[in-house]
Amino acid sequence: MQLKLEKQEEKPLVERKEIVVKIISSTTLSNTQVKEKIATLLKCSQDLIVVKKIDQLYGKQEAVVKAYIYKNKDALKIFEPKAKKEEAEKKEEKK
């Protein structure tokens, strides 16, 4: 599996970085796997990463991931909707 940071933009008003990562992998990755890989690539905590979108390119072994990396948990709680967090937690509990 290869990761390549395509774009990184600092958003100081909302206390986060918006990143776009290209992943080359033979399998489809889950959100938790993507979080782990981004955390190791950028040396940050998985708790502060929110994966917004994973676009798997049809017919290719590539995916483009859009994610936010917050500076602290307070900013994460303010700017991320609770419904998405609860939904993600329920999916993790089922596994």
Side-chain angles (χ1 to χ4, degrees), residues 30-67:
S30 68
N31 282 358
T32 54
Q33 290 173 324
V34 170
K35 279 185 183 184
E36 290 172 9
K37 298 299 179 183
I38 291 173
T40 55
L41 176 70
L42 298 176
K43 298 176 181 81
C44 62
S45 172
Q46 289 183 24
D47 298 335
L48 301 176
I49 299 173
V50 177
V51 176
K52 285 296 191 180
K53 190 173 190 181
I54 301 175
D55 280 334
Q56 186 77 29
L57 302 176
Y58 183 76
K60 294 187 178 183
Q61 295 180 345
E62 296 178 2
V64 177
V65 177
K66 183 177 180 182

